[in-house]
Amino acid sequence: MVISDAAREKIRAEMAKYPKPEGALLAALHLVQKQTGHISGETAQEIADLFGIHPIRVMEVVTFYNMFYDEPQGRHHVHVCTNLPCSLRGARELLRGLEAHLGIEAGETTKDGRVTLAHEECLGACGYAPMLRVDETYHENLDLAAAKRILDELE
Amino acid sequence: MAKLTIDGVEYEVKDGRTILQALDDLGLLMNGVDVPHYCWHPKLTIDGSCRLCQVEVEGFPKLQIGCNTPVKDGMVVHTKSERVKHAREGVMEFLLLNHPLDCPICDQAGECKLQDYAFEYGVKHARTEEPRRALKKNVDLGPTIKFDQERCILCRRCVRFCREVPKTGELAVFNRGDHSVIETVPGMQLDNPYSMNVADICPVGALTTKDFRFKIRVWFLEEAPGICTGCSNGCNVYLGVANNKVYRYVPRRNDSVNDTWICDVGRMTYEEIGAPDRLKLPAVRSDSGVLEAVPFAKAIDAAAARLRSLVERKGAGVLAAVASAHASNEDLLVLARFLDAYGIRHSGVTVRRGDSDDLLVKAEKAANAEGARTLGFEEAGPLAKQIAGGGIDGLIVLGHDLLDPAYLGGERTLAKLDTVIVLDTHVSALERVAHVILPVRHAAEKDATYVNHAGRVQRSWPVVEPSFEAYADGEVISRLGAALGLPGFDGKFDVREVSRSLGAAAAAFRGIDLESVGEQGIPLAGKG
Amino acid sequence: MGLKVPFVTGYLTEHFGDDAFPTLEGYRAKGGYEAARKALGSMTPDEVIELMKTAGLQGRGGAGFVTGLKWSFMPKKGDKPRYIACNADESEPGSFKDRILLERGAHQMLEGILIGAWAMQAEKTFIYVRGEYAHPAACVQRAIDECYAAGILGANCLGTGFRHDVVLTRGAGAYICGEETGLLESLEGKKGQPRKKPPFPAEYGAFGMPTTVNNVETFSHVPHIVAKGADWFRGFGTEKSPGTTIFGVSGHVARPGLFELPLGTRLDEIVFQHAGGVPNGRKVKGVIPGGMSMPILPAGQLDVAMANEFLRERKTMLGTGGIMVMDDTTCMVRASCVITYFFRDESCGQCTQCREGTGWLHKLVTRIERGAGSIEDIEILADVTSKMEGQTICAFADAAAWPVQGMLRHFREDFELHVEHKKCPFPESFEL
């Protein structure tokens, strides 16, 4: 079993909040992915069993949303916003600088599995551009040096 | 009822219907009123995503999709305006943008709605230089279906079908936007008893059945109406015929019988028609015990001689007749007359049984069990016991269902009989015990009526001609009756006349005959 | 992270600098939940809806529909439970106002929700927060927990006997979930693909029940209207567009950030006075006035009051009030590449025109930017937008088509120069 008992408990508590338990599917995927890093076929089956639905319902949801992954990821997600307000203020240069710094291209994971670097569409920080998101934390008003420091501190 | 005006013509339509549903009810959709559509299907939930069925509805500033717009009393709809034309052109151009230009090697060519509508409603030349999407080709979705992702236009009919009809839900759209693709979950297959229907409802060449693909170009096929005889549901089909050969069954819509579907097992029964094990030669067992092929007339005479000899020795009381529930009403009526005329008191019908579901598949694995019962034939169970226990010396067998474990289980009991006359479509173990063998026609080779499980009388048409000499069971029995000199038997068999007599034989058939049954069938009296 | 309180504050944001304000205690210290007490204690649901109609508050999520009217669409009777969905899926590029309202004003929003729940007799609210907003979501959850502990939410709201529950749902990264029926689908644990209408959410919404969807900022105005009245509210803004809103200014300005100002404030005033104008001695080339879905305005048309009745005359809209400023180095074809990429990436993929059209637009502008485009491609670009517009299940295809139309309307020359020079003629423009 991939999903821990503790996570199962939390998922059941989420299910109880909705008129139909499936309302908690996104919450369940967030919870499980925090533990597993990505949603594999096996994990999807376990989640499907928990909800009493076909695993394909889980996988169609996983592939629809940006924040769910069906493939293994780095330990940390570094997402640089490259939408227009950020691009106008140097987001692309920042992303290229980080690509060079990590020796990978956006969309790739460092060989040591430490960081998956990606560009992302608007994160709601347009007034504080350029910015990046490391996992659940926003870092705003960045320059390349500051961004590199943030990445270097990741374990 | 609501009044709906379409392109200046007023119609009365049922309340609570959308524009497309109302047109479908009227039988006008793409048959008088052209509102092209991809995602909408009369037997699936409304999707509303292909946007091709947009029409102009007076009072609405924007075009509305016909599939999801409820008809209101007094609604005025235009399907031919410039705005509608512009919108259709747009949808067609968008759909063709990434569609591979491989019609010459695509098996759907000829029955492809993308081809048809592009010709009818599309723009005439491509305006894109960008490479088309490269996706998976020739994907094995399961035991019956191949999938070409590049050709898919994402109408999601197949996805909805699997969720809504067999309720197995094997397909889904993964990803989003122009990365959307239809897939199964890795390690799972599209595998359900109705899987091949997805190929029928796929408007393009994305989903094709492994059975039919690349067999023949569809424009060589004549689609002839008929029914599936695999079980007592009697699903309506089109038989795809070319060169006097049936290449496939596809479901033919009948909202009272099978909607627009057919089960995979039934669909594949078309193979029985041209099967290599068809019974092709009349034969008579010689004194030395071997079956020898003889001309048809000789076989009839031999059968008559054997029967006459037995009756002379032991009387008609030792004779019995067992008909398969595959036999048509007309065949059974002639058999009943024969039994009467010859004084044969023992008769019955054999019905092979198997799995059923709550969709289409019925337990009785023959087309006409209900017709046999209506004509007074009783199930042959007790008769089978009697045959096994002795007291029956001669047997006329229509079809080989008597060998089913529910009846005799095998040919051993029959081997003891003095006379066994077999009329059959296919070779079976009966060959080893029969004294006379007479090839007969398959439903696809004759005019005949059948009664399905719900009491609906349906018919078959002769759409192929057997390459060997064979007649309807009724005709063979008629000839046998004449050879025996039975009263009322002159050797002629007029299936229309016989069918008109059904009402006299059983009140439920009153007013029903081959002509009146038509393509959609009619219920037996009291079953409507 | 730091605190991003608006540079200019109004009634919505005046206490956002106060670190206690996000707490129940701090919110109550500023009169919090008194409006809810008034509504639940002394007003009938219909009176609240009438008040909202009189106040004329327009939804602040982008479409600008009158809130009181929307609330009145909810069925008055029936056995079915009624729900509210609070749209906190802020994802419109250029828009970042809801985030501060969640982080610093969660109780203000919750009070608005509670009043709306009373008015519509709704038993439950789902607050749908975009997945990336982890911190804002935590702030809202804390406020919800405080409300339950204090008896503001739950079985006996504020001791009035009215029951209301609030559930926080987190999205998972899909712009389309900000579309109200996409949001409803997502709430049900599905792909966020917008629903065809009819049926409309007021009839068949979340989990098949009557549902009203309002934006975070919309709810945040509600307690102020109940507390101070419709006349007071109408004292801000224009006659047709009353109240303040929080404008977000981004791009090439000296002081990017948030500004709470009355609707009808002039765009040039916001850009040049409040946001400090364009730095580095540059000039404005164009401004997107209301989030990326709204058509751009050229430098010469910034003398417009920021309210829909005036913006419409210039073929654009207020949207979410996200103002993006581009200086005169900017290549508008490049900007179009970024815009069309976004819509291509975020299209849910249901409707043909949107799924295929967004991709086509992006391919076309990318080719033109590369210098490989032709004059005919510019014509095709316009034609494609015309075939996407107004024909799909939701307004996403419009949102993808309009900005391109705006670019062609005001900056067609930029596109033609690319064709002429067979390369991008704006070497100083932002990088792609």
Side-chain angles (χ1 to χ4, degrees), chain A residues 14 16-20 22-23 25-26 30 57 60-61 64-68 82-85 87-89 92-93 96 119-128 133 136-138 140-141, chain C residues 1 4 83 93-96 99 124 126 130-134 169-174 177 186-192 207 250-253 256 292 324-326 338 341-342 430-432:
Chain A
E14 284 295 320
K17 294 179 180 175
Y18 296 88
K20 292 176 191 155
E22 293 97 293
L25 183 58
L26 267 59
H30 278 302
R57 283 266 296 101
E60 67 178 1
V61 165
F64 185 86
Y65 293 95
N66 288 346
M67 293 175 77
F68 297 136
T82 54
N83 206 296
L84 191 53
S87 282
L88 290 172
R89 295 180 78 91
R92 308 277 170 152
E93 291 90 329
R96 287 215 182 102
H119 72 94
E120 189 159 9
E121 296 306 319
C122 186
L123 288 165
C126 318
Y128 325 115
R133 172 167 80 92
E136 296 211 317
T137 309
Y138 281 21
E140 299 167 322
N141 294 315
Chain C
M1 276 185 294
K4 310 286 180 348
Y83 298 137
S95 180
F96 51 104
R99 193 176 141 204
K124 199 171 252 194
F126 301 96
R130 70 176 294 186
E132 295 87 346
Y133 278 3
T169 304
R170 285 185 63 194
C177 293
S186 189
L187 266 184
E188 295 184 6
K190 299 174 187 160
K191 300 191 283 185
F207 303 95
S250 60
H252 295 142
V253 287
M292 211 157 79
M324 281 182 245
V325 181
M326 285 165 260
V338 180
Y341 177 87
F342 172 76
F430 75 92
E431 266 194 50
L432 201 55

Side-chain angles (χ1 to χ4, degrees), chain C residues 390-402:
Chain C
Q391 293 194 19
T392 46
I393 288 176
C394 77
F396 183 98
D398 301 345
W402 289 340

Side-chain angles (χ1 to χ4, degrees), chain A:
Chain A
M1 292 229 287
V2 180
I3 307 172
S4 68
D5 287 340
R8 281 166 196 272
E9 265 324 295
K10 281 185 191 162
I11 291 168
R12 286 198 191 95
E14 284 295 320
M15 285 179 180
K17 294 179 180 175
Y18 296 88
K20 292 176 191 155
E22 293 97 293
L25 183 58
L26 267 59
L29 287 165
H30 278 302
L31 266 163
V32 172
Q33 193 176 262
K34 208 162 200 178
Q35 187 193 325
T36 60
H38 76 288
I39 307 294
S40 67
E42 191 192 345
T43 312
Q45 182 67 59
E46 281 188 26
I47 293 172
D49 290 344
L50 260 174
F51 281 85
I53 57 178
H54 196 293
I56 205 162
R57 283 266 296 101
V58 177
M59 289 316 287
E60 67 178 1
V61 165
V62 166
T63 61
F64 185 86
Y65 293 95
N66 288 346
M67 293 175 77
F68 297 136
Y69 308 101
D70 57 354
E71 307 235 316
Q73 304 288 308
R75 288 195 296 283
H76 298 283
H77 281 277
V78 175
H79 289 231
V80 179
C81 174
T82 54
N83 206 296
L84 191 53
C86 282
S87 282
L88 290 172
R89 295 180 78 91
R92 308 277 170 152
E93 291 90 329
L94 180 74
L95 179 61
R96 287 215 182 102
L98 294 180
E99 284 176 335
H101 185 63
L102 293 169
I104 54 172
E105 286 188 21
E108 294 177 345
T109 301
T110 53
K111 279 205 188 80
D112 57 5
R114 193 170 63 96
V115 169
T116 299
L117 180 68
H119 72 94
E120 189 159 9
E121 296 306 319
C122 186
L123 288 165
C126 318
Y128 325 115
M131 63 84 68
L132 55 79
R133 172 167 80 92
V134 177
D135 304 324
E136 296 211 317
T137 309
Y138 281 21
H139 300 273
E140 299 167 322
N141 294 315
L142 293 173
D143 56 25
L144 183 57
K148 281 183 187 169
R149 270 199 304 280
I150 292 163
L151 263 58
D152 289 345
E153 281 166 18
L154 296 174
E155 291 186 3

Side-chain angles (χ1 to χ4, degrees), chain B residues 233-248:
Chain B
N233 202 57
C235 292
N236 290 203
V237 296
Y238 282 112
L239 299 88
V241 182
N243 316 313
N244 198 35
K245 183 180 165 191
V246 178
Y247 283 84
R248 68 175 181 185

